[in-house]
Structures are given as structure tokens and as C-alpha cells.
Amino acid sequence: MATFQFSQVNVFSSNPLSGNPVAVIHAAKGLSEATMSALARWTNLSETTFLLPPTNPLADYQLRIFSPGGELPFAGHPTLGSCHAWLAAGGKAQDANVIVQQCKAGLVNIRKNNSLLEFSAPPLIRSGPLDDDILLKISTALNLAPVDIIQHQWVDNGPGWCAIMLNSAQQVLDIKPNWAALAPLNLGVVGPHDQNCEANLEVRSFVGSGGYEDPVTGSLNASLAQWLMGAGLVKSSYIAAQGTILQREGRVHLRKDNNGEIWVGGQVVEVIRGEISV
């Protein structure tokens, strides 16, 4: 039985119990893929990650990301949480201004922005409006009238996201999904808050392929920002609230820099540090 350093990290909230947790296994080179999958099922978090030496000379570390259902090419909150854990364990980047993560989706740039960690949004692999049959499926599963959906788009950067926009944050919060009707779509729903709210948008993430709602989702917020900013539906810097219905206080900071690159950031807090034996 081998022992590995273990971290459990809270992402997208400074409150350690109000964001989205990720389990991180350090120096995981000796673990087989089957053991990584088994560990992800055992932790039963949305993702468990494994820090490995990079095989690309441009990268500072390699990350493999597993959900209980299998390996993912990329995921947002595991990227920020794992980077935080890597830095806390003494990781040193080649470039003082950027940390480069290697994962199945390629190289991802991460950097510090004051108290936030933020990653550069990966490119979309599918975009464009949703077909009528998909919109009918979504409106049926969420008990929405067709006129409630004011905008829609494929926003897939790996997990297969599609998205709709409603008139208000309250409409988003009122949704009670019919999981059987929604499957297998992975759907993001967004609606604007009024000016008195700290957050500009309310986001919910319905993972129809798994039948659950994700508390705070970096990959979805990354792709939503690319769509919404590109279409002129939001400003070039905004805050998204997510997890409200699940009694979380997720806050995702989205911004477009002077080069047109979109960065996705949040607070990250280590909650558990120890060892795991497998």
C-alpha cells in the first residue's frame, strides 16, 4: 500500500464550506488509471485530480481529472483548486507571471490576480444556436414556455455544454428540473440580477448526463463568458453567482483582458490536508 499527500480544496468562495470542493492527490505518478478512477468514485466529489510530472516541456505540472464516471479532458474548478494545492506544496512555475497546466485538453494558463487564481478560458469546440428539438427538450425538462428563453447557444469547451438565457435571476432560481426529460444534455442556465446585487448574473449548471446540479462550474462559466461577451449581452468584466439553490455562495469572476483573452477566477481555500493510502 502506497501513501500520497492529499488535499481537499474549496474553489470559488473564500468561505471554506460554500464553494465547490475538489480532492487533489499529489505526486501521483505511481497510480494506475484504474486506481485513479476508483479513488474518484470513492471520494464521490464531482472531481478528483492527480498531480503528475509534465511531459510537455512548456508545462509546470500535468493534471489528470476524474469524475466518478470517468476521466475529463478539462474542468474549471479542479484546475484552480489543483493549482492552489500544487503551489501550497512548494510548486514553482518556470515563469513568475504564469503557471502552465498540462491536461488532456492541452495547455492551460493560470495566474494570480490579487487574491484570486484565474485560468484562461479554453477555446470552444462547438458554438452556434440550438436546434428547435433541443430547445423543446430543454423547455419541457425545465417547465419553461418557449418565450422564456430569450437567448440560446452551444457553449461546448469539452463537457458538451449548451446554454440558455432567461429574463431574470429569479427565473433561473425558480427552475425545478425534470432530470429524466433533460438527459443526456449538460445545460447552463443564466439570468441577470438587478443592480442592487453584488453579482451580475445567476448561473445554474444542470448535468443531465449524470442527473445532478453542479454547485459552481468553472468550465461552464468560461464558455458562457465567451458567448455572452462575444454577443454583447454582458460587459467585459462581471461576477456570476452560482450554487444559491444548493446553499453555496459561489462567485466566479469573469473578465476580458486587453488582448481579448477571457480569464475565469475565484477565491481558493485549502480545507483538508493529509495523506491517503491506497
PDB file of all heavy atoms in Angstrom, residues 215-254:
ATOM      1  N   PRO A 215     -22.432  22.596  -8.101  1.00  0.00           N
ATOM      2  CA  PRO A 215     -22.511  23.823  -7.296  1.00  0.00           C
ATOM      3  C   PRO A 215     -21.932  25.055  -7.974  1.00  0.00           C
ATOM      4  O   PRO A 215     -22.603  26.090  -8.053  1.00  0.00           O
ATOM      5  CB  PRO A 215     -21.724  23.469  -6.030  1.00  0.00           C
ATOM      6  CG  PRO A 215     -21.720  21.987  -5.961  1.00  0.00           C
ATOM      7  CD  PRO A 215     -21.731  21.525  -7.371  1.00  0.00           C
ATOM      8  N   VAL A 216     -20.680  24.970  -8.431  1.00  0.00           N
ATOM      9  CA  VAL A 216     -20.031  26.116  -9.077  1.00  0.00           C
ATOM     10  C   VAL A 216     -19.116  25.560 -10.159  1.00  0.00           C
ATOM     11  O   VAL A 216     -18.232  24.766  -9.864  1.00  0.00           O
ATOM     12  CB  VAL A 216     -19.204  26.967  -8.091  1.00  0.00           C
ATOM     13  CG1 VAL A 216     -19.008  28.368  -8.667  1.00  0.00           C
ATOM     14  CG2 VAL A 216     -19.820  27.046  -6.709  1.00  0.00           C
ATOM     15  N   THR A 217     -19.292  26.010 -11.399  1.00  0.00           N
ATOM     16  CA  THR A 217     -18.710  25.313 -12.544  1.00  0.00           C
ATOM     17  C   THR A 217     -17.823  26.234 -13.367  1.00  0.00           C
ATOM     18  O   THR A 217     -18.320  27.088 -14.110  1.00  0.00           O
ATOM     19  CB  THR A 217     -19.842  24.746 -13.440  1.00  0.00           C
ATOM     20  OG1 THR A 217     -20.863  24.185 -12.622  1.00  0.00           O
ATOM     21  CG2 THR A 217     -19.296  23.698 -14.392  1.00  0.00           C
ATOM     22  N   GLY A 218     -16.507  26.050 -13.260  1.00  0.00           N
ATOM     23  CA  GLY A 218     -15.582  26.916 -13.977  1.00  0.00           C
ATOM     24  C   GLY A 218     -15.657  26.771 -15.479  1.00  0.00           C
ATOM     25  O   GLY A 218     -15.632  27.765 -16.213  1.00  0.00           O
ATOM     26  N   SER A 219     -15.737  25.538 -15.971  1.00  0.00           N
ATOM     27  CA  SER A 219     -15.753  25.339 -17.423  1.00  0.00           C
ATOM     28  C   SER A 219     -16.998  25.953 -18.048  1.00  0.00           C
ATOM     29  O   SER A 219     -16.938  26.576 -19.110  1.00  0.00           O
ATOM     30  CB  SER A 219     -15.663  23.843 -17.761  1.00  0.00           C
ATOM     31  OG  SER A 219     -16.802  23.145 -17.281  1.00  0.00           O
ATOM     32  N   LEU A 220     -18.151  25.796 -17.393  1.00  0.00           N
ATOM     33  CA  LEU A 220     -19.375  26.389 -17.917  1.00  0.00           C
ATOM     34  C   LEU A 220     -19.289  27.910 -17.905  1.00  0.00           C
ATOM     35  O   LEU A 220     -19.627  28.574 -18.897  1.00  0.00           O
ATOM     36  CB  LEU A 220     -20.587  25.928 -17.108  1.00  0.00           C
ATOM     37  CG  LEU A 220     -21.905  26.626 -17.450  1.00  0.00           C
ATOM     38  CD1 LEU A 220     -22.291  26.376 -18.906  1.00  0.00           C
ATOM     39  CD2 LEU A 220     -23.006  26.196 -16.502  1.00  0.00           C
ATOM     40  N   ASN A 221     -18.845  28.492 -16.803  1.00  0.00           N
ATOM     41  CA  ASN A 221     -18.744  29.943 -16.740  1.00  0.00           C
ATOM     42  C   ASN A 221     -17.756  30.493 -17.766  1.00  0.00           C
ATOM     43  O   ASN A 221     -17.958  31.573 -18.317  1.00  0.00           O
ATOM     44  CB  ASN A 221     -18.370  30.389 -15.326  1.00  0.00           C
ATOM     45  CG  ASN A 221     -19.572  30.486 -14.419  1.00  0.00           C
ATOM     46  OD1 ASN A 221     -20.345  31.428 -14.498  1.00  0.00           O
ATOM     47  ND2 ASN A 221     -19.755  29.476 -13.582  1.00  0.00           N
ATOM     48  N   ALA A 222     -16.689  29.732 -18.036  1.00  0.00           N
ATOM     49  CA  ALA A 222     -15.738  30.144 -19.072  1.00  0.00           C
ATOM     50  C   ALA A 222     -16.418  30.235 -20.428  1.00  0.00           C
ATOM     51  O   ALA A 222     -16.259  31.217 -21.168  1.00  0.00           O
ATOM     52  CB  ALA A 222     -14.565  29.171 -19.129  1.00  0.00           C
ATOM     53  N   SER A 223     -17.178  29.208 -20.773  1.00  0.00           N
ATOM     54  CA  SER A 223     -17.815  29.194 -22.089  1.00  0.00           C
ATOM     55  C   SER A 223     -18.992  30.169 -22.157  1.00  0.00           C
ATOM     56  O   SER A 223     -19.247  30.779 -23.203  1.00  0.00           O
ATOM     57  CB  SER A 223     -18.253  27.773 -22.457  1.00  0.00           C
ATOM     58  OG  SER A 223     -19.158  27.251 -21.504  1.00  0.00           O
ATOM     59  N   LEU A 224     -19.716  30.330 -21.043  1.00  0.00           N
ATOM     60  CA  LEU A 224     -20.775  31.341 -21.017  1.00  0.00           C
ATOM     61  C   LEU A 224     -20.204  32.729 -21.276  1.00  0.00           C
ATOM     62  O   LEU A 224     -20.782  33.521 -22.029  1.00  0.00           O
ATOM     63  CB  LEU A 224     -21.486  31.326 -19.664  1.00  0.00           C
ATOM     64  CG  LEU A 224     -22.455  30.180 -19.381  1.00  0.00           C
ATOM     65  CD1 LEU A 224     -22.949  30.260 -17.937  1.00  0.00           C
ATOM     66  CD2 LEU A 224     -23.623  30.182 -20.354  1.00  0.00           C
ATOM     67  N   ALA A 225     -19.071  33.040 -20.648  1.00  0.00           N
ATOM     68  CA  ALA A 225     -18.461  34.359 -20.838  1.00  0.00           C
ATOM     69  C   ALA A 225     -18.059  34.576 -22.291  1.00  0.00           C
ATOM     70  O   ALA A 225     -18.246  35.677 -22.842  1.00  0.00           O
ATOM     71  CB  ALA A 225     -17.247  34.512 -19.926  1.00  0.00           C
ATOM     72  N   GLN A 226     -17.525  33.546 -22.940  1.00  0.00           N
ATOM     73  CA  GLN A 226     -17.150  33.685 -24.347  1.00  0.00           C
ATOM     74  C   GLN A 226     -18.370  33.989 -25.208  1.00  0.00           C
ATOM     75  O   GLN A 226     -18.307  34.831 -26.117  1.00  0.00           O
ATOM     76  CB  GLN A 226     -16.446  32.400 -24.807  1.00  0.00           C
ATOM     77  CG  GLN A 226     -15.049  32.250 -24.230  1.00  0.00           C
ATOM     78  CD  GLN A 226     -14.507  30.842 -24.402  1.00  0.00           C
ATOM     79  OE1 GLN A 226     -15.029  29.885 -23.849  1.00  0.00           O
ATOM     80  NE2 GLN A 226     -13.440  30.708 -25.165  1.00  0.00           N
ATOM     81  N   TRP A 227     -19.461  33.314 -24.927  1.00  0.00           N
ATOM     82  CA  TRP A 227     -20.704  33.563 -25.664  1.00  0.00           C
ATOM     83  C   TRP A 227     -21.279  34.945 -25.346  1.00  0.00           C
ATOM     84  O   TRP A 227     -21.512  35.757 -26.253  1.00  0.00           O
ATOM     85  CB  TRP A 227     -21.723  32.471 -25.321  1.00  0.00           C
ATOM     86  CG  TRP A 227     -23.128  32.768 -25.736  1.00  0.00           C
ATOM     87  CD1 TRP A 227     -23.538  33.377 -26.890  1.00  0.00           C
ATOM     88  CD2 TRP A 227     -24.326  32.489 -24.990  1.00  0.00           C
ATOM     89  NE1 TRP A 227     -24.917  33.482 -26.920  1.00  0.00           N
ATOM     90  CE2 TRP A 227     -25.419  32.946 -25.769  1.00  0.00           C
ATOM     91  CE3 TRP A 227     -24.574  31.876 -23.762  1.00  0.00           C
ATOM     92  CZ2 TRP A 227     -26.742  32.819 -25.333  1.00  0.00           C
ATOM     93  CZ3 TRP A 227     -25.879  31.745 -23.334  1.00  0.00           C
ATOM     94  CH2 TRP A 227     -26.953  32.214 -24.115  1.00  0.00           C
ATOM     95  N   LEU A 228     -21.484  35.214 -24.053  1.00  0.00           N
ATOM     96  CA  LEU A 228     -22.194  36.429 -23.654  1.00  0.00           C
ATOM     97  C   LEU A 228     -21.403  37.694 -23.974  1.00  0.00           C
ATOM     98  O   LEU A 228     -21.969  38.689 -24.437  1.00  0.00           O
ATOM     99  CB  LEU A 228     -22.517  36.367 -22.159  1.00  0.00           C
ATOM    100  CG  LEU A 228     -23.448  35.219 -21.727  1.00  0.00           C
ATOM    101  CD1 LEU A 228     -23.528  35.150 -20.209  1.00  0.00           C
ATOM    102  CD2 LEU A 228     -24.822  35.359 -22.348  1.00  0.00           C
ATOM    103  N   MET A 229     -20.088  37.661 -23.744  1.00  0.00           N
ATOM    104  CA  MET A 229     -19.269  38.824 -24.094  1.00  0.00           C
ATOM    105  C   MET A 229     -19.213  39.010 -25.604  1.00  0.00           C
ATOM    106  O   MET A 229     -19.315  40.119 -26.120  1.00  0.00           O
ATOM    107  CB  MET A 229     -17.861  38.670 -23.520  1.00  0.00           C
ATOM    108  CG  MET A 229     -17.782  38.818 -22.019  1.00  0.00           C
ATOM    109  SD  MET A 229     -16.062  38.667 -21.441  1.00  0.00           S
ATOM    110  CE  MET A 229     -16.305  38.643 -19.660  1.00  0.00           C
ATOM    111  N   GLY A 230     -19.039  37.894 -26.325  1.00  0.00           N
ATOM    112  CA  GLY A 230     -18.944  37.972 -27.777  1.00  0.00           C
ATOM    113  C   GLY A 230     -20.209  38.503 -28.423  1.00  0.00           C
ATOM    114  O   GLY A 230     -20.154  39.179 -29.457  1.00  0.00           O
ATOM    115  N   ALA A 231     -21.357  38.210 -27.791  1.00  0.00           N
ATOM    116  CA  ALA A 231     -22.636  38.665 -28.335  1.00  0.00           C
ATOM    117  C   ALA A 231     -23.047  40.025 -27.797  1.00  0.00           C
ATOM    118  O   ALA A 231     -24.116  40.538 -28.165  1.00  0.00           O
ATOM    119  CB  ALA A 231     -23.721  37.636 -28.012  1.00  0.00           C
ATOM    120  N   GLY A 232     -22.229  40.615 -26.930  1.00  0.00           N
ATOM    121  CA  GLY A 232     -22.548  41.920 -26.367  1.00  0.00           C
ATOM    122  C   GLY A 232     -23.675  41.888 -25.347  1.00  0.00           C
ATOM    123  O   GLY A 232     -24.308  42.918 -25.086  1.00  0.00           O
ATOM    124  N   LEU A 233     -23.915  40.731 -24.738  1.00  0.00           N
ATOM    125  CA  LEU A 233     -25.007  40.591 -23.777  1.00  0.00           C
ATOM    126  C   LEU A 233     -24.589  40.945 -22.355  1.00  0.00           C
ATOM    127  O   LEU A 233     -25.451  41.115 -21.479  1.00  0.00           O
ATOM    128  CB  LEU A 233     -25.543  39.156 -23.806  1.00  0.00           C
ATOM    129  CG  LEU A 233     -26.161  38.721 -25.147  1.00  0.00           C
ATOM    130  CD1 LEU A 233     -26.456  37.234 -25.143  1.00  0.00           C
ATOM    131  CD2 LEU A 233     -27.427  39.524 -25.426  1.00  0.00           C
ATOM    132  N   VAL A 234     -23.279  41.019 -22.107  1.00  0.00           N
ATOM    133  CA  VAL A 234     -22.747  41.408 -20.799  1.00  0.00           C
ATOM    134  C   VAL A 234     -21.549  42.324 -21.020  1.00  0.00           C
ATOM    135  O   VAL A 234     -21.006  42.418 -22.123  1.00  0.00           O
ATOM    136  CB  VAL A 234     -22.307  40.181 -19.965  1.00  0.00           C
ATOM    137  CG1 VAL A 234     -23.479  39.295 -19.610  1.00  0.00           C
ATOM    138  CG2 VAL A 234     -21.224  39.381 -20.696  1.00  0.00           C
ATOM    139  N   LYS A 235     -21.119  42.972 -19.944  1.00  0.00           N
ATOM    140  CA  LYS A 235     -19.911  43.783 -20.001  1.00  0.00           C
ATOM    141  C   LYS A 235     -18.683  42.884 -20.055  1.00  0.00           C
ATOM    142  O   LYS A 235     -18.763  41.665 -19.867  1.00  0.00           O
ATOM    143  CB  LYS A 235     -19.853  44.704 -18.781  1.00  0.00           C
ATOM    144  CG  LYS A 235     -20.982  45.724 -18.733  1.00  0.00           C
ATOM    145  CD  LYS A 235     -20.872  46.606 -17.501  1.00  0.00           C
ATOM    146  CE  LYS A 235     -21.990  47.627 -17.460  1.00  0.00           C
ATOM    147  NZ  LYS A 235     -21.920  48.494 -16.254  1.00  0.00           N
ATOM    148  N   SER A 236     -17.518  43.497 -20.269  1.00  0.00           N
ATOM    149  CA  SER A 236     -16.281  42.727 -20.409  1.00  0.00           C
ATOM    150  C   SER A 236     -15.694  42.299 -19.069  1.00  0.00           C
ATOM    151  O   SER A 236     -14.646  41.661 -19.019  1.00  0.00           O
ATOM    152  CB  SER A 236     -15.239  43.536 -21.183  1.00  0.00           C
ATOM    153  OG  SER A 236     -14.959  44.754 -20.515  1.00  0.00           O
ATOM    154  N   SER A 237     -16.373  42.640 -17.980  1.00  0.00           N
ATOM    155  CA  SER A 237     -15.986  42.177 -16.651  1.00  0.00           C
ATOM    156  C   SER A 237     -17.254  42.046 -15.818  1.00  0.00           C
ATOM    157  O   SER A 237     -18.040  42.998 -15.737  1.00  0.00           O
ATOM    158  CB  SER A 237     -15.015  43.159 -15.994  1.00  0.00           C
ATOM    159  OG  SER A 237     -14.692  42.752 -14.678  1.00  0.00           O
ATOM    160  N   TYR A 238     -17.486  40.863 -15.247  1.00  0.00           N
ATOM    161  CA  TYR A 238     -18.686  40.669 -14.440  1.00  0.00           C
ATOM    162  C   TYR A 238     -18.472  39.545 -13.430  1.00  0.00           C
ATOM    163  O   TYR A 238     -17.491  38.802 -13.496  1.00  0.00           O
ATOM    164  CB  TYR A 238     -19.911  40.391 -15.317  1.00  0.00           C
ATOM    165  CG  TYR A 238     -19.925  39.056 -16.037  1.00  0.00           C
ATOM    166  CD1 TYR A 238     -20.460  37.918 -15.449  1.00  0.00           C
ATOM    167  CD2 TYR A 238     -19.425  38.936 -17.336  1.00  0.00           C
ATOM    168  CE1 TYR A 238     -20.495  36.700 -16.115  1.00  0.00           C
ATOM    169  CE2 TYR A 238     -19.461  37.732 -18.014  1.00  0.00           C
ATOM    170  CZ  TYR A 238     -19.990  36.611 -17.389  1.00  0.00           C
ATOM    171  OH  TYR A 238     -20.015  35.411 -18.049  1.00  0.00           O
ATOM    172  N   ILE A 239     -19.402  39.444 -12.482  1.00  0.00           N
ATOM    173  CA  ILE A 239     -19.378  38.395 -11.461  1.00  0.00           C
ATOM    174  C   ILE A 239     -20.616  37.533 -11.627  1.00  0.00           C
ATOM    175  O   ILE A 239     -21.744  38.047 -11.729  1.00  0.00           O
ATOM    176  CB  ILE A 239     -19.341  38.992 -10.043  1.00  0.00           C
ATOM    177  CG1 ILE A 239     -18.077  39.828  -9.841  1.00  0.00           C
ATOM    178  CG2 ILE A 239     -19.406  37.880  -8.986  1.00  0.00           C
ATOM    179  CD1 ILE A 239     -18.046  40.576  -8.522  1.00  0.00           C
ATOM    180  N   ALA A 240     -20.418  36.225 -11.643  1.00  0.00           N
ATOM    181  CA  ALA A 240     -21.520  35.272 -11.709  1.00  0.00           C
ATOM    182  C   ALA A 240     -21.687  34.606 -10.349  1.00  0.00           C
ATOM    183  O   ALA A 240     -20.712  34.150  -9.745  1.00  0.00           O
ATOM    184  CB  ALA A 240     -21.264  34.218 -12.777  1.00  0.00           C
ATOM    185  N   ALA A 241     -22.918  34.567  -9.865  1.00  0.00           N
ATOM    186  CA  ALA A 241     -23.249  33.807  -8.659  1.00  0.00           C
ATOM    187  C   ALA A 241     -23.731  32.429  -9.087  1.00  0.00           C
ATOM    188  O   ALA A 241     -24.470  32.294 -10.067  1.00  0.00           O
ATOM    189  CB  ALA A 241     -24.335  34.525  -7.860  1.00  0.00           C
ATOM    190  N   GLN A 242     -23.313  31.408  -8.353  1.00  0.00           N
ATOM    191  CA  GLN A 242     -23.768  30.048  -8.656  1.00  0.00           C
ATOM    192  C   GLN A 242     -23.802  29.238  -7.369  1.00  0.00           C
ATOM    193  O   GLN A 242     -23.001  29.451  -6.461  1.00  0.00           O
ATOM    194  CB  GLN A 242     -22.850  29.374  -9.682  1.00  0.00           C
ATOM    195  CG  GLN A 242     -23.448  28.081 -10.242  1.00  0.00           C
ATOM    196  CD  GLN A 242     -22.544  27.385 -11.247  1.00  0.00           C
ATOM    197  OE1 GLN A 242     -21.551  27.950 -11.697  1.00  0.00           O
ATOM    198  NE2 GLN A 242     -22.872  26.168 -11.595  1.00  0.00           N
ATOM    199  N   GLY A 243     -24.733  28.301  -7.302  1.00  0.00           N
ATOM    200  CA  GLY A 243     -24.849  27.421  -6.140  1.00  0.00           C
ATOM    201  C   GLY A 243     -25.866  27.876  -5.120  1.00  0.00           C
ATOM    202  O   GLY A 243     -26.018  27.237  -4.075  1.00  0.00           O
ATOM    203  N   THR A 244     -26.588  28.954  -5.398  1.00  0.00           N
ATOM    204  CA  THR A 244     -27.512  29.529  -4.415  1.00  0.00           C
ATOM    205  C   THR A 244     -28.543  28.514  -3.939  1.00  0.00           C
ATOM    206  O   THR A 244     -28.789  28.373  -2.733  1.00  0.00           O
ATOM    207  CB  THR A 244     -28.222  30.758  -5.017  1.00  0.00           C
ATOM    208  OG1 THR A 244     -27.240  31.660  -5.546  1.00  0.00           O
ATOM    209  CG2 THR A 244     -29.080  31.461  -3.996  1.00  0.00           C
ATOM    210  N   ILE A 245     -29.148  27.789  -4.873  1.00  0.00           N
ATOM    211  CA  ILE A 245     -30.180  26.812  -4.530  1.00  0.00           C
ATOM    212  C   ILE A 245     -29.598  25.678  -3.688  1.00  0.00           C
ATOM    213  O   ILE A 245     -30.293  25.068  -2.864  1.00  0.00           O
ATOM    214  CB  ILE A 245     -30.828  26.255  -5.817  1.00  0.00           C
ATOM    215  CG1 ILE A 245     -31.669  27.352  -6.494  1.00  0.00           C
ATOM    216  CG2 ILE A 245     -31.683  25.028  -5.539  1.00  0.00           C
ATOM    217  CD1 ILE A 245     -32.841  27.840  -5.673  1.00  0.00           C
ATOM    218  N   LEU A 246     -28.308  25.396  -3.857  1.00  0.00           N
ATOM    219  CA  LEU A 246     -27.637  24.320  -3.123  1.00  0.00           C
ATOM    220  C   LEU A 246     -27.004  24.812  -1.831  1.00  0.00           C
ATOM    221  O   LEU A 246     -26.191  24.115  -1.235  1.00  0.00           O
ATOM    222  CB  LEU A 246     -26.570  23.675  -4.021  1.00  0.00           C
ATOM    223  CG  LEU A 246     -27.082  23.106  -5.340  1.00  0.00           C
ATOM    224  CD1 LEU A 246     -25.917  22.585  -6.173  1.00  0.00           C
ATOM    225  CD2 LEU A 246     -28.105  22.006  -5.105  1.00  0.00           C
ATOM    226  N   GLN A 247     -27.359  26.025  -1.408  1.00  0.00           N
ATOM    227  CA  GLN A 247     -26.850  26.653  -0.192  1.00  0.00           C
ATOM    228  C   GLN A 247     -25.333  26.854  -0.254  1.00  0.00           C
ATOM    229  O   GLN A 247     -24.626  26.710   0.736  1.00  0.00           O
ATOM    230  CB  GLN A 247     -27.257  25.853   1.053  1.00  0.00           C
ATOM    231  CG  GLN A 247     -28.762  25.773   1.242  1.00  0.00           C
ATOM    232  CD  GLN A 247     -29.167  25.056   2.516  1.00  0.00           C
ATOM    233  OE1 GLN A 247     -28.429  24.234   3.050  1.00  0.00           O
ATOM    234  NE2 GLN A 247     -30.355  25.372   3.003  1.00  0.00           N
ATOM    235  N   ARG A 248     -24.865  27.197  -1.451  1.00  0.00           N
ATOM    236  CA  ARG A 248     -23.476  27.593  -1.644  1.00  0.00           C
ATOM    237  C   ARG A 248     -23.448  29.082  -1.994  1.00  0.00           C
ATOM    238  O   ARG A 248     -24.481  29.671  -2.324  1.00  0.00           O
ATOM    239  CB  ARG A 248     -22.823  26.792  -2.773  1.00  0.00           C
ATOM    240  CG  ARG A 248     -22.969  25.275  -2.657  1.00  0.00           C
ATOM    241  CD  ARG A 248     -22.175  24.684  -1.510  1.00  0.00           C
ATOM    242  NE  ARG A 248     -22.393  23.245  -1.443  1.00  0.00           N
ATOM    243  CZ  ARG A 248     -21.616  22.340  -2.068  1.00  0.00           C
ATOM    244  NH1 ARG A 248     -20.577  22.746  -2.787  1.00  0.00           N
ATOM    245  NH2 ARG A 248     -21.887  21.062  -1.973  1.00  0.00           N
ATOM    246  N   GLU A 249     -22.257  29.659  -1.905  1.00  0.00           N
ATOM    247  CA  GLU A 249     -22.093  31.082  -2.205  1.00  0.00           C
ATOM    248  C   GLU A 249     -20.996  31.271  -3.252  1.00  0.00           C
ATOM    249  O   GLU A 249     -20.084  32.066  -3.083  1.00  0.00           O
ATOM    250  CB  GLU A 249     -21.754  31.855  -0.924  1.00  0.00           C
ATOM    251  CG  GLU A 249     -22.825  31.753   0.152  1.00  0.00           C
ATOM    252  CD  GLU A 249     -22.365  32.302   1.491  1.00  0.00           C
ATOM    253  OE1 GLU A 249     -21.200  32.762   1.585  1.00  0.00           O
ATOM    254  OE2 GLU A 249     -23.158  32.270   2.442  1.00  0.00           O
ATOM    255  N   GLY A 250     -21.086  30.505  -4.326  1.00  0.00           N
ATOM    256  CA  GLY A 250     -20.070  30.582  -5.371  1.00  0.00           C
ATOM    257  C   GLY A 250     -20.068  31.932  -6.063  1.00  0.00           C
ATOM    258  O   GLY A 250     -21.128  32.482  -6.378  1.00  0.00           O
ATOM    259  N   ARG A 251     -18.865  32.453  -6.274  1.00  0.00           N
ATOM    260  CA  ARG A 251     -18.686  33.699  -7.023  1.00  0.00           C
ATOM    261  C   ARG A 251     -17.565  33.484  -8.036  1.00  0.00           C
ATOM    262  O   ARG A 251     -16.428  33.204  -7.676  1.00  0.00           O
ATOM    263  CB  ARG A 251     -18.343  34.873  -6.096  1.00  0.00           C
ATOM    264  CG  ARG A 251     -19.448  35.248  -5.124  1.00  0.00           C
ATOM    265  CD  ARG A 251     -20.667  35.788  -5.839  1.00  0.00           C
ATOM    266  NE  ARG A 251     -21.722  36.227  -4.917  1.00  0.00           N
ATOM    267  CZ  ARG A 251     -22.698  35.447  -4.458  1.00  0.00           C
ATOM    268  NH1 ARG A 251     -22.753  34.157  -4.833  1.00  0.00           N
ATOM    269  NH2 ARG A 251     -23.619  35.930  -3.640  1.00  0.00           N
ATOM    270  N   VAL A 252     -17.911  33.617  -9.298  1.00  0.00           N
ATOM    271  CA  VAL A 252     -16.956  33.430 -10.386  1.00  0.00           C
ATOM    272  C   VAL A 252     -16.715  34.784 -11.033  1.00  0.00           C
ATOM    273  O   VAL A 252     -17.659  35.467 -11.442  1.00  0.00           O
ATOM    274  CB  VAL A 252     -17.481  32.414 -11.426  1.00  0.00           C
ATOM    275  CG1 VAL A 252     -16.392  32.116 -12.453  1.00  0.00           C
ATOM    276  CG2 VAL A 252     -17.934  31.127 -10.739  1.00  0.00           C
ATOM    277  N   HIS A 253     -15.449  35.170 -11.121  1.00  0.00           N
ATOM    278  CA  HIS A 253     -15.066  36.470 -11.674  1.00  0.00           C
ATOM    279  C   HIS A 253     -14.615  36.275 -13.116  1.00  0.00           C
ATOM    280  O   HIS A 253     -13.645  35.546 -13.381  1.00  0.00           O
ATOM    281  CB  HIS A 253     -13.940  37.083 -10.843  1.00  0.00           C
ATOM    282  CG  HIS A 253     -14.338  37.380  -9.425  1.00  0.00           C
ATOM    283  ND1 HIS A 253     -14.514  38.667  -8.952  1.00  0.00           N
ATOM    284  CD2 HIS A 253     -14.616  36.552  -8.377  1.00  0.00           C
ATOM    285  CE1 HIS A 253     -14.866  38.622  -7.679  1.00  0.00           C
ATOM    286  NE2 HIS A 253     -14.940  37.356  -7.305  1.00  0.00           N
ATOM    287  N   LEU A 254     -15.291  36.916 -14.045  1.00  0.00           N
ATOM    288  CA  LEU A 254     -15.006  36.800 -15.469  1.00  0.00           C
ATOM    289  C   LEU A 254     -14.540  38.144 -15.999  1.00  0.00           C
ATOM    290  O   LEU A 254     -15.139  39.177 -15.676  1.00  0.00           O
ATOM    291  CB  LEU A 254     -16.254  36.369 -16.251  1.00  0.00           C
ATOM    292  CG  LEU A 254     -16.868  34.983 -16.045  1.00  0.00           C
ATOM    293  CD1 LEU A 254     -15.870  33.872 -16.263  1.00  0.00           C
ATOM    294  CD2 LEU A 254     -17.569  34.849 -14.712  1.00  0.00           C
TER     295      LEU A 254
END
